[in-house]
Amino acid sequence: MSEQWKSDNYFVCPSNFAPEAVKDYHFPKKLEIHDVTLRDGEQQPGVAFTKEDKINIAKMLAEVGVHRIEAGMPAVSKSDEEAFREIVRMKLDSKIFAFCRSLASDIELAADVGVDGVVIEIPSNDELVQYGFRWPLERPFKAVCEACKLAHERGLYVDLFLMDSSRLTVEQFVEKVQAVKNNSWVDSCSIVDTQGTFSTAGARHMVSEAVRLLDIPVEAHFHNDLGLGTANALAAFEAGASVLHTTLLGLGPRAGQGATEQVAIALKLLYGYDSGIKLDKLYDLGLEAAKLARVQVPGNQPIVGNLIYLIEAGMPATWWPNIEKEHPLALYGILPSVMGQPPVQIVLGKGSGASSIRYWLDKLNLKIRNDNDIANILTEVKNMGLAKKRGLCEDEFVEIVKKYQ
């Protein structure tokens, strides 16, 4: 077995690639990431992208190599329509998709703005149709068949997006897809975990069976209500889904969904699959998306959090200066350079130890009366970190040290 788990920049679990672990994988021949930040991401309360925001995010997504960009719904507003037209005019390397209701007007507008494909929504759960939409059960089927046929006639790629389909049985899902396909046109279909209620095993099973029973590609659009959005997207990849729908930072309604940056890095490091996405650009992309969305990124959020490569605890801070140049992977499974994060830093706070004090004294070239004062400086650093409930800045440390010079 080759060392797929280890490179100069990462050192992950060998068990990820053990024959027993991978024997039931059925990877698609080709995988595409379909980023839905500009639609689903914008459904997060408080997030509102301007025309310029949408254009900038689309440009950045294309620059890092995202394969498909769902730029929203051109029918939502004039601003969204104009954003679509400009994004299409830029002739990005990514394919541009529009989300459409089963309405002829939505399809016609999507074709008119020049997108490559459409994601056409149909409520697939009869309970939602009956109690939410208050429609006769046959209405969605008739409308989506007409919409899919029109989209195909207009030269668009057609993805049938079965909203809330994770709460169907596999047999019900396949039956509904086949019915639309037999009476219209469908290029691919999406299993949609609208409420985020898939277990990882459940996601893998439903995708695997859908791939086996259908003769069109199966896509996965999974929400994150129980914190499994990214894990379930990866399970869908294991089971043969050819497209994964994700958002930057996991933005979206309620708890959002699988995060584009997390999925892309996990594919490479944990499965050995190179999606073509430029991983070292993802940190900057995430920060810019957060800025435009006006959201706070938790410091410990994977890939883009600003705390994940800071060391405060005493023992790791003791190790890091010794291994930083020789073998940094002894401490970190993934180096910050993989996703474009700043280098590892040792910071000062309540969790610091004596080695951190020595590190910072050397770093700032500060001299103290004698080494016995290190313990006193450490006590003051810990007390200030506790009192302020945060780490210390450089100036605060210097002020403490002045007492011992």
Side-chain angles (χ1 to χ4, degrees), residues 251-271:
L251 292 173
R254 303 185 317 280
Q257 58 193 85
T260 301
E261 66 278 3
Q262 294 175 26
V263 168
I265 286 184
L267 285 169
K268 174 61 177 174
L269 273 58
L270 306 186
Y271 296 87

mmCIF file of all heavy atoms in Angstrom, residues 251-271:
data_model
loop_
_atom_site.group_PDB
_atom_site.id
_atom_site.type_symbol
_atom_site.label_atom_id
_atom_site.label_comp_id
_atom_site.label_asym_id
_atom_site.label_seq_id
_atom_site.Cartn_x
_atom_site.Cartn_y
_atom_site.Cartn_z
ATOM 1 N N LEU A 251 -22.313 28.356 4.584
ATOM 2 C CA LEU A 251 -23.417 29.306 4.694
ATOM 3 C C LEU A 251 -24.725 28.674 4.234
ATOM 4 O O LEU A 251 -24.740 27.773 3.397
ATOM 5 C CB LEU A 251 -23.135 30.546 3.833
ATOM 6 C CG LEU A 251 -21.996 31.469 4.262
ATOM 7 C CD1 LEU A 251 -21.759 32.546 3.201
ATOM 8 C CD2 LEU A 251 -22.294 32.123 5.604
ATOM 9 N N GLY A 252 -25.830 29.186 4.776
ATOM 10 C CA GLY A 252 -27.128 28.699 4.332
ATOM 11 C C GLY A 252 -28.168 28.840 5.412
ATOM 12 O O GLY A 252 -27.873 29.258 6.537
ATOM 13 N N PRO A 253 -29.411 28.501 5.094
ATOM 14 C CA PRO A 253 -30.487 28.605 6.087
ATOM 15 C C PRO A 253 -30.264 27.642 7.247
ATOM 16 O O PRO A 253 -29.606 26.614 7.102
ATOM 17 C CB PRO A 253 -31.739 28.227 5.282
ATOM 18 C CG PRO A 253 -31.227 27.378 4.154
ATOM 19 C CD PRO A 253 -29.889 27.948 3.815
ATOM 20 N N ARG A 254 -30.780 27.996 8.406
ATOM 21 C CA ARG A 254 -30.635 27.206 9.630
ATOM 22 C C ARG A 254 -29.148 26.964 9.920
ATOM 23 O O ARG A 254 -28.421 27.895 10.164
ATOM 24 C CB ARG A 254 -31.434 25.906 9.530
ATOM 25 C CG ARG A 254 -32.927 26.124 9.246
ATOM 26 C CD ARG A 254 -33.729 24.837 9.278
ATOM 27 N NE ARG A 254 -33.091 23.739 8.608
ATOM 28 C CZ ARG A 254 -33.093 23.557 7.281
ATOM 29 N NH1 ARG A 254 -33.748 24.390 6.494
ATOM 30 N NH2 ARG A 254 -32.484 22.526 6.741
ATOM 31 N N ALA A 255 -28.686 25.724 9.842
ATOM 32 C CA ALA A 255 -27.277 25.428 10.134
ATOM 33 C C ALA A 255 -26.426 25.349 8.869
ATOM 34 O O ALA A 255 -25.289 24.904 8.904
ATOM 35 C CB ALA A 255 -27.170 24.125 10.916
ATOM 36 N N GLY A 256 -26.983 25.775 7.739
ATOM 37 C CA GLY A 256 -26.219 25.775 6.497
ATOM 38 C C GLY A 256 -26.070 24.386 5.906
ATOM 39 O O GLY A 256 -26.925 23.522 6.068
ATOM 40 N N GLN A 257 -24.951 24.160 5.201
ATOM 41 C CA GLN A 257 -24.726 22.856 4.586
ATOM 42 C C GLN A 257 -23.238 22.566 4.499
ATOM 43 O O GLN A 257 -22.424 23.261 5.110
ATOM 44 C CB GLN A 257 -25.388 22.783 3.221
ATOM 45 C CG GLN A 257 -24.957 23.809 2.204
ATOM 46 C CD GLN A 257 -25.906 23.812 1.016
ATOM 47 O OE1 GLN A 257 -26.948 24.462 1.033
ATOM 48 N NE2 GLN A 257 -25.564 23.075 -0.016
ATOM 49 N N GLY A 258 -22.880 21.496 3.802
ATOM 50 C CA GLY A 258 -21.478 21.143 3.677
ATOM 51 C C GLY A 258 -20.680 22.300 3.114
ATOM 52 O O GLY A 258 -21.135 23.005 2.203
ATOM 53 N N ALA A 259 -19.469 22.508 3.657
ATOM 54 C CA ALA A 259 -18.648 23.659 3.265
ATOM 55 C C ALA A 259 -17.751 23.315 2.083
ATOM 56 O O ALA A 259 -17.049 22.299 2.094
ATOM 57 C CB ALA A 259 -17.808 24.123 4.448
ATOM 58 N N THR A 260 -17.752 24.171 1.082
ATOM 59 C CA THR A 260 -16.956 23.955 -0.126
ATOM 60 C C THR A 260 -15.495 23.709 0.210
ATOM 61 O O THR A 260 -14.862 22.767 -0.283
ATOM 62 C CB THR A 260 -17.075 25.176 -1.059
ATOM 63 O OG1 THR A 260 -18.455 25.367 -1.410
ATOM 64 C CG2 THR A 260 -16.244 25.000 -2.317
ATOM 65 N N GLU A 261 -14.935 24.570 1.076
ATOM 66 C CA GLU A 261 -13.503 24.469 1.382
ATOM 67 C C GLU A 261 -13.186 23.190 2.155
ATOM 68 O O GLU A 261 -12.140 22.558 1.933
ATOM 69 C CB GLU A 261 -13.025 25.709 2.146
ATOM 70 C CG GLU A 261 -13.599 25.920 3.535
ATOM 71 C CD GLU A 261 -14.971 26.570 3.572
ATOM 72 O OE1 GLU A 261 -15.543 26.829 2.484
ATOM 73 O OE2 GLU A 261 -15.475 26.812 4.687
ATOM 74 N N GLN A 262 -14.077 22.773 3.035
ATOM 75 C CA GLN A 262 -13.834 21.551 3.810
ATOM 76 C C GLN A 262 -13.912 20.313 2.914
ATOM 77 O O GLN A 262 -13.086 19.396 3.012
ATOM 78 C CB GLN A 262 -14.846 21.444 4.945
ATOM 79 C CG GLN A 262 -14.706 22.523 6.003
ATOM 80 C CD GLN A 262 -15.799 22.458 7.047
ATOM 81 O OE1 GLN A 262 -16.378 21.404 7.293
ATOM 82 N NE2 GLN A 262 -16.103 23.586 7.674
ATOM 83 N N VAL A 263 -14.910 20.282 2.053
ATOM 84 C CA VAL A 263 -15.077 19.144 1.150
ATOM 85 C C VAL A 263 -13.880 19.023 0.214
ATOM 86 O O VAL A 263 -13.321 17.929 0.016
ATOM 87 C CB VAL A 263 -16.388 19.267 0.347
ATOM 88 C CG1 VAL A 263 -16.425 18.263 -0.802
ATOM 89 C CG2 VAL A 263 -17.595 19.057 1.263
ATOM 90 N N ALA A 264 -13.442 20.142 -0.354
ATOM 91 C CA ALA A 264 -12.347 20.109 -1.324
ATOM 92 C C ALA A 264 -11.058 19.577 -0.703
ATOM 93 O O ALA A 264 -10.353 18.749 -1.302
ATOM 94 C CB ALA A 264 -12.117 21.508 -1.894
ATOM 95 N N ILE A 265 -10.736 20.032 0.510
ATOM 96 C CA ILE A 265 -9.503 19.584 1.158
ATOM 97 C C ILE A 265 -9.623 18.135 1.618
ATOM 98 O O ILE A 265 -8.680 17.341 1.488
ATOM 99 C CB ILE A 265 -9.133 20.539 2.307
ATOM 100 C CG1 ILE A 265 -8.594 21.845 1.704
ATOM 101 C CG2 ILE A 265 -8.112 19.909 3.246
ATOM 102 C CD1 ILE A 265 -8.106 22.852 2.700
ATOM 103 N N ALA A 266 -10.784 17.759 2.147
ATOM 104 C CA ALA A 266 -10.977 16.374 2.583
ATOM 105 C C ALA A 266 -10.860 15.405 1.406
ATOM 106 O O ALA A 266 -10.300 14.310 1.555
ATOM 107 C CB ALA A 266 -12.325 16.221 3.271
ATOM 108 N N LEU A 267 -11.376 15.774 0.259
ATOM 109 C CA LEU A 267 -11.273 14.901 -0.915
ATOM 110 C C LEU A 267 -9.820 14.569 -1.219
ATOM 111 O O LEU A 267 -9.470 13.413 -1.484
ATOM 112 C CB LEU A 267 -11.913 15.574 -2.129
ATOM 113 C CG LEU A 267 -13.441 15.615 -2.171
ATOM 114 C CD1 LEU A 267 -13.920 16.533 -3.290
ATOM 115 C CD2 LEU A 267 -14.026 14.221 -2.345
ATOM 116 N N LYS A 268 -8.955 15.562 -1.164
ATOM 117 C CA LYS A 268 -7.547 15.345 -1.490
ATOM 118 C C LYS A 268 -6.817 14.602 -0.388
ATOM 119 O O LYS A 268 -6.121 13.610 -0.636
ATOM 120 C CB LYS A 268 -6.885 16.709 -1.743
ATOM 121 C CG LYS A 268 -5.379 16.656 -1.942
ATOM 122 C CD LYS A 268 -4.988 15.829 -3.143
ATOM 123 C CE LYS A 268 -3.477 15.864 -3.357
ATOM 124 N NZ LYS A 268 -3.065 14.942 -4.449
ATOM 125 N N LEU A 269 -6.964 15.049 0.861
ATOM 126 C CA LEU A 269 -6.157 14.512 1.951
ATOM 127 C C LEU A 269 -6.659 13.169 2.486
ATOM 128 O O LEU A 269 -5.865 12.326 2.883
ATOM 129 C CB LEU A 269 -6.082 15.517 3.099
ATOM 130 C CG LEU A 269 -4.959 16.570 3.010
ATOM 131 C CD1 LEU A 269 -5.067 17.397 1.740
ATOM 132 C CD2 LEU A 269 -4.975 17.469 4.222
ATOM 133 N N LEU A 270 -7.984 12.988 2.502
ATOM 134 C CA LEU A 270 -8.545 11.786 3.115
ATOM 135 C C LEU A 270 -8.908 10.698 2.106
ATOM 136 O O LEU A 270 -9.099 9.542 2.483
ATOM 137 C CB LEU A 270 -9.782 12.144 3.939
ATOM 138 C CG LEU A 270 -9.594 13.244 4.992
ATOM 139 C CD1 LEU A 270 -10.852 13.386 5.831
ATOM 140 C CD2 LEU A 270 -8.386 12.969 5.874
ATOM 141 N N TYR A 271 -9.019 11.082 0.824
ATOM 142 C CA TYR A 271 -9.387 10.103 -0.203
ATOM 143 C C TYR A 271 -8.376 10.025 -1.344
ATOM 144 O O TYR A 271 -8.490 9.157 -2.201
ATOM 145 C CB TYR A 271 -10.760 10.444 -0.804
ATOM 146 C CG TYR A 271 -11.897 10.370 0.181
ATOM 147 C CD1 TYR A 271 -12.238 11.458 0.968
ATOM 148 C CD2 TYR A 271 -12.636 9.194 0.333
ATOM 149 C CE1 TYR A 271 -13.288 11.394 1.885
ATOM 150 C CE2 TYR A 271 -13.683 9.115 1.233
ATOM 151 C CZ TYR A 271 -13.997 10.227 2.006
ATOM 152 O OH TYR A 271 -15.036 10.145 2.909
#
